Amino acid sequence: ISGCQPAPEGYSPTLKWQQQQVANFSAVRQSLNKHRNHWRSQHLDSNVTMPKSEDEEGWKKFCLGERVYSEIDVLSDNENLGIDYLKVGFPPLLSIVSRMNQATVTSVLEYLISWFGEKKFTPELGRWLYALLACLEKPLLPEAHSLIRQLARRCSEVRALEESKNEEQISALNLIICLVSRYFDQRDLADEPS
């Protein structure tokens, strides 16, 4: 399918909501660009070791954490003693994403989209996708262009199959589709406002 599947009945975002998300996203991008050099100069915590650009498995584990990556749902009793980022994944902190060049942003986006092609949508994945989209420079390179279209279509597929109508998840998927279609000018993928 070239376009996106329509939102489930009653879950299509309004045009006003979509415009607000694009405005918020635009502000996030401007702030990121303005402060990129500052964040890049901050020291990363000693426990943060960013994978090499071509290390697909390393990036998936870094972003999503061992738990999501290995699809482990169980928590052992002694796990609430603090956050183990190796288990839960590193959040897309400014000090991390500011160090990523466009080639790395595109590679990591590709790794996460390919992961998402076969796995379920998680909050960790959503945060990283949003952050990576915020770091993508316009005009888009053809590869990035193709990737974000693939991402929007996958979000629409997952959203159409969402049986429990988890509003938080549908909102997150709507947001990604909205940003790809309206901010990155892929209008043919946009949700028709309800």
Side-chain angles (χ1 to χ4, degrees):
I1 311 169
S2 60
C4 281
Q5 298 181 26
E9 194 66 40
Y11 289 91
S12 185
T14 64
L15 185 58
K16 185 177 180 190
W17 181 86
Q18 292 184 64
Q19 290 167 334
Q20 185 60 56
Q21 300 313 314
V22 169
N24 294 349
F25 183 69
S26 186
V28 165
R29 285 174 60 93
Q30 286 170 354
S31 177
L32 181 66
N33 285 332
K34 195 165 124 192
H35 301 293
R36 179 168 273 144
N37 289 337
H38 166 76
W39 286 107
R40 199 177 277 160
S41 68
Q42 299 301 303
H43 289 291
L44 287 174
D45 290 346
S46 58
N47 65 338
V48 181
T49 308
M50 291 171 66
K52 288 188 169 45
S53 186
E54 64 281 358
D55 181 3
E56 181 169 351
E57 300 306 304
W59 274 108
K60 288 176 187 171
K61 287 178 185 168
F62 182 85
C63 298
L64 304 171
E66 294 282 349
R67 192 175 287 140
V68 170
Y69 182 78
S70 309
E71 299 183 83
I72 303 167
D73 283 338
V74 290
L75 289 168
S76 62
D77 292 341
N78 61 357
E79 279 196 45
N80 55 5
L81 301 171
I83 297 176
D84 179 349
Y85 286 113
L86 297 175
K87 285 204 177 90
V88 298
F90 288 92
L93 302 169
L94 286 168
S95 55
I96 293 174
V97 296
S98 295
R99 284 179 164 72
M100 297 166 77
N101 61 26
Q102 282 303 290
T104 303
V105 169
T106 307
S107 295
V108 176
L109 201 51
E110 185 178 354
Y111 304 151
L112 294 181
I113 291 169
S114 94
W115 160 269
F116 183 34
E118 296 143 28
K119 311 281 189 209
K120 59 185 196 260
F121 186 81
T122 64
E124 296 82 3
L125 177 65
R127 282 191 285 274
W128 269 98
L129 291 172
Y130 186 91
L132 292 169
L133 288 174
C135 293
L136 263 189
E137 288 172 8
K138 284 172 116 177
L140 293 175
L141 296 170
E143 187 183 337
H145 186 259
S146 164
L147 276 173
I148 66 170
R149 290 184 63 81
Q150 187 185 335
L151 173 61
R153 286 195 291 266
R154 176 65 181 148
C155 286
S156 78
E157 261 170 48
V158 171
R159 180 179 68 180
L161 298 171
E162 177 62 51
E163 285 162 16
S164 64
K165 299 291 180 262
N166 172 340
E167 279 195 42
E168 213 168 275
Q169 177 143 333
I170 289 180
S171 269
L173 296 166
N174 281 348
L175 176 59
I176 292 171
I177 295 166
C178 167
L179 296 177
V180 168
S181 62
R182 298 195 182 273
Y183 185 86
F184 290 103
D185 302 316
Q186 307 302 306
R187 297 272 189 247
D188 60 310
L189 300 178
D191 279 315
E192 288 310 313
S194 51

mmCIF file of all heavy atoms in Angstrom, residues 12-32:
data_model
loop_
_atom_site.group_PDB
_atom_site.id
_atom_site.type_symbol
_atom_site.label_atom_id
_atom_site.label_comp_id
_atom_site.label_asym_id
_atom_site.label_seq_id
_atom_site.Cartn_x
_atom_site.Cartn_y
_atom_site.Cartn_z
ATOM 1 N N SER A 12 -9.321 9.093 14.876
ATOM 2 C CA SER A 12 -8.622 9.932 13.912
ATOM 3 C C SER A 12 -8.341 11.295 14.539
ATOM 4 O O SER A 12 -9.230 11.913 15.111
ATOM 5 C CB SER A 12 -9.495 10.091 12.656
ATOM 6 O OG SER A 12 -8.770 10.800 11.687
ATOM 7 N N PRO A 13 -7.097 11.765 14.456
ATOM 8 C CA PRO A 13 -6.767 13.043 15.087
ATOM 9 C C PRO A 13 -7.397 14.219 14.340
ATOM 10 O O PRO A 13 -7.519 14.183 13.120
ATOM 11 C CB PRO A 13 -5.242 13.093 15.007
ATOM 12 C CG PRO A 13 -4.881 12.191 13.882
ATOM 13 C CD PRO A 13 -5.955 11.152 13.785
ATOM 14 N N THR A 14 -7.754 15.251 15.088
ATOM 15 C CA THR A 14 -8.322 16.446 14.454
ATOM 16 C C THR A 14 -7.209 17.234 13.779
ATOM 17 O O THR A 14 -6.029 17.087 14.119
ATOM 18 C CB THR A 14 -9.001 17.356 15.499
ATOM 19 O OG1 THR A 14 -7.982 17.825 16.392
ATOM 20 C CG2 THR A 14 -10.088 16.628 16.274
ATOM 21 N N LEU A 15 -7.582 18.085 12.861
ATOM 22 C CA LEU A 15 -6.593 18.913 12.184
ATOM 23 C C LEU A 15 -5.919 19.841 13.200
ATOM 24 O O LEU A 15 -4.703 20.047 13.168
ATOM 25 C CB LEU A 15 -7.259 19.729 11.070
ATOM 26 C CG LEU A 15 -6.300 20.556 10.216
ATOM 27 C CD1 LEU A 15 -5.252 19.669 9.556
ATOM 28 C CD2 LEU A 15 -7.064 21.349 9.161
ATOM 29 N N LYS A 16 -6.703 20.364 14.125
ATOM 30 C CA LYS A 16 -6.155 21.274 15.137
ATOM 31 C C LYS A 16 -5.083 20.554 15.967
ATOM 32 O O LYS A 16 -4.008 21.110 16.226
ATOM 33 C CB LYS A 16 -7.286 21.790 16.037
ATOM 34 C CG LYS A 16 -6.820 22.830 17.021
ATOM 35 C CD LYS A 16 -7.963 23.381 17.850
ATOM 36 C CE LYS A 16 -7.386 24.418 18.801
ATOM 37 N NZ LYS A 16 -8.275 24.887 19.805
ATOM 38 N N TRP A 17 -5.373 19.326 16.377
ATOM 39 C CA TRP A 17 -4.401 18.540 17.146
ATOM 40 C C TRP A 17 -3.130 18.338 16.322
ATOM 41 O O TRP A 17 -2.017 18.513 16.820
ATOM 42 C CB TRP A 17 -5.010 17.189 17.537
ATOM 43 C CG TRP A 17 -4.100 16.325 18.357
ATOM 44 C CD1 TRP A 17 -3.948 16.346 19.714
ATOM 45 C CD2 TRP A 17 -3.201 15.306 17.876
ATOM 46 N NE1 TRP A 17 -3.005 15.397 20.101
ATOM 47 C CE2 TRP A 17 -2.541 14.756 19.003
ATOM 48 C CE3 TRP A 17 -2.895 14.811 16.608
ATOM 49 C CZ2 TRP A 17 -1.594 13.736 18.894
ATOM 50 C CZ3 TRP A 17 -1.951 13.798 16.503
ATOM 51 C CH2 TRP A 17 -1.313 13.260 17.633
ATOM 52 N N GLN A 18 -3.307 17.978 15.053
ATOM 53 C CA GLN A 18 -2.147 17.724 14.187
ATOM 54 C C GLN A 18 -1.304 18.992 14.030
ATOM 55 O O GLN A 18 -0.070 18.945 14.106
ATOM 56 C CB GLN A 18 -2.601 17.204 12.821
ATOM 57 C CG GLN A 18 -3.210 15.803 12.902
ATOM 58 C CD GLN A 18 -3.580 15.251 11.548
ATOM 59 O OE1 GLN A 18 -2.717 15.038 10.708
ATOM 60 N NE2 GLN A 18 -4.861 15.031 11.321
ATOM 61 N N GLN A 19 -1.967 20.124 13.840
ATOM 62 C CA GLN A 19 -1.230 21.387 13.682
ATOM 63 C C GLN A 19 -0.469 21.731 14.965
ATOM 64 O O GLN A 19 0.660 22.214 14.916
ATOM 65 C CB GLN A 19 -2.189 22.518 13.297
ATOM 66 C CG GLN A 19 -2.719 22.359 11.874
ATOM 67 C CD GLN A 19 -3.908 23.268 11.575
ATOM 68 O OE1 GLN A 19 -4.657 23.671 12.473
ATOM 69 N NE2 GLN A 19 -4.091 23.572 10.299
ATOM 70 N N GLN A 20 -1.085 21.464 16.117
ATOM 71 C CA GLN A 20 -0.440 21.737 17.397
ATOM 72 C C GLN A 20 0.807 20.859 17.574
ATOM 73 O O GLN A 20 1.845 21.328 18.043
ATOM 74 C CB GLN A 20 -1.439 21.494 18.539
ATOM 75 C CG GLN A 20 -0.919 21.860 19.914
ATOM 76 C CD GLN A 20 -0.533 23.333 20.016
ATOM 77 O OE1 GLN A 20 -1.340 24.210 19.757
ATOM 78 N NE2 GLN A 20 0.716 23.600 20.377
ATOM 79 N N GLN A 21 0.698 19.588 17.187
ATOM 80 C CA GLN A 21 1.846 18.674 17.305
ATOM 81 C C GLN A 21 2.995 19.123 16.414
ATOM 82 O O GLN A 21 4.160 19.070 16.810
ATOM 83 C CB GLN A 21 1.438 17.230 16.951
ATOM 84 C CG GLN A 21 0.351 16.638 17.816
ATOM 85 C CD GLN A 21 0.585 16.845 19.293
ATOM 86 O OE1 GLN A 21 1.671 16.646 19.808
ATOM 87 N NE2 GLN A 21 -0.454 17.267 19.991
ATOM 88 N N VAL A 22 2.666 19.577 15.212
ATOM 89 C CA VAL A 22 3.696 20.050 14.285
ATOM 90 C C VAL A 22 4.379 21.297 14.855
ATOM 91 O O VAL A 22 5.606 21.426 14.806
ATOM 92 C CB VAL A 22 3.103 20.314 12.879
ATOM 93 C CG1 VAL A 22 4.087 21.058 11.992
ATOM 94 C CG2 VAL A 22 2.704 18.990 12.227
ATOM 95 N N ALA A 23 3.600 22.182 15.450
ATOM 96 C CA ALA A 23 4.167 23.398 16.054
ATOM 97 C C ALA A 23 5.089 23.031 17.223
ATOM 98 O O ALA A 23 6.208 23.553 17.340
ATOM 99 C CB ALA A 23 3.045 24.322 16.518
ATOM 100 N N ASN A 24 4.640 22.115 18.090
ATOM 101 C CA ASN A 24 5.457 21.673 19.223
ATOM 102 C C ASN A 24 6.759 21.036 18.739
ATOM 103 O O ASN A 24 7.835 21.300 19.272
ATOM 104 C CB ASN A 24 4.714 20.643 20.086
ATOM 105 C CG ASN A 24 3.504 21.230 20.780
ATOM 106 O OD1 ASN A 24 3.295 22.439 20.803
ATOM 107 N ND2 ASN A 24 2.668 20.354 21.324
ATOM 108 N N PHE A 25 6.637 20.184 17.731
ATOM 109 C CA PHE A 25 7.793 19.471 17.188
ATOM 110 C C PHE A 25 8.787 20.461 16.582
ATOM 111 O O PHE A 25 10.000 20.344 16.763
ATOM 112 C CB PHE A 25 7.305 18.470 16.137
ATOM 113 C CG PHE A 25 8.388 17.616 15.551
ATOM 114 C CD1 PHE A 25 9.027 16.654 16.319
ATOM 115 C CD2 PHE A 25 8.756 17.747 14.219
ATOM 116 C CE1 PHE A 25 10.014 15.845 15.769
ATOM 117 C CE2 PHE A 25 9.737 16.941 13.666
ATOM 118 C CZ PHE A 25 10.365 15.988 14.444
ATOM 119 N N SER A 26 8.271 21.439 15.897
ATOM 120 C CA SER A 26 9.110 22.465 15.276
ATOM 121 C C SER A 26 9.905 23.207 16.361
ATOM 122 O O SER A 26 11.110 23.463 16.215
ATOM 123 C CB SER A 26 8.227 23.422 14.484
ATOM 124 O OG SER A 26 9.022 24.324 13.782
ATOM 125 N N ALA A 27 9.243 23.517 17.473
ATOM 126 C CA ALA A 27 9.904 24.201 18.593
ATOM 127 C C ALA A 27 10.992 23.312 19.202
ATOM 128 O O ALA A 27 12.079 23.780 19.538
ATOM 129 C CB ALA A 27 8.872 24.590 19.647
ATOM 130 N N VAL A 28 10.710 22.012 19.326
ATOM 131 C CA VAL A 28 11.689 21.065 19.863
ATOM 132 C C VAL A 28 12.924 21.041 18.955
ATOM 133 O O VAL A 28 14.066 21.088 19.420
ATOM 134 C CB VAL A 28 11.090 19.641 19.994
ATOM 135 C CG1 VAL A 28 12.162 18.584 20.193
ATOM 136 C CG2 VAL A 28 10.084 19.594 21.129
ATOM 137 N N ARG A 29 12.702 20.988 17.648
ATOM 138 C CA ARG A 29 13.820 20.951 16.687
ATOM 139 C C ARG A 29 14.664 22.222 16.764
ATOM 140 O O ARG A 29 15.887 22.162 16.734
ATOM 141 C CB ARG A 29 13.288 20.768 15.267
ATOM 142 C CG ARG A 29 12.831 19.363 14.979
ATOM 143 C CD ARG A 29 12.184 19.261 13.611
ATOM 144 N NE ARG A 29 13.052 19.622 12.525
ATOM 145 C CZ ARG A 29 13.803 18.761 11.823
ATOM 146 N NH1 ARG A 29 13.786 17.488 12.129
ATOM 147 N NH2 ARG A 29 14.563 19.176 10.825
ATOM 148 N N GLN A 30 13.992 23.361 16.866
ATOM 149 C CA GLN A 30 14.734 24.631 16.941
ATOM 150 C C GLN A 30 15.577 24.675 18.203
ATOM 151 O O GLN A 30 16.735 25.085 18.177
ATOM 152 C CB GLN A 30 13.769 25.811 16.889
ATOM 153 C CG GLN A 30 13.215 26.035 15.488
ATOM 154 C CD GLN A 30 12.078 27.047 15.468
ATOM 155 O OE1 GLN A 30 11.607 27.510 16.499
ATOM 156 N NE2 GLN A 30 11.630 27.387 14.271
ATOM 157 N N SER A 31 15.000 24.251 19.308
ATOM 158 C CA SER A 31 15.721 24.236 20.576
ATOM 159 C C SER A 31 16.914 23.279 20.505
ATOM 160 O O SER A 31 18.013 23.598 20.967
ATOM 161 C CB SER A 31 14.764 23.833 21.691
ATOM 162 O OG SER A 31 15.440 23.750 22.897
ATOM 163 N N LEU A 32 16.694 22.125 19.922
ATOM 164 C CA LEU A 32 17.758 21.133 19.774
ATOM 165 C C LEU A 32 18.910 21.711 18.954
ATOM 166 O O LEU A 32 20.073 21.609 19.344
ATOM 167 C CB LEU A 32 17.201 19.873 19.100
ATOM 168 C CG LEU A 32 18.159 18.711 18.892
ATOM 169 C CD1 LEU A 32 18.587 18.131 20.234
ATOM 170 C CD2 LEU A 32 17.524 17.633 18.052
#
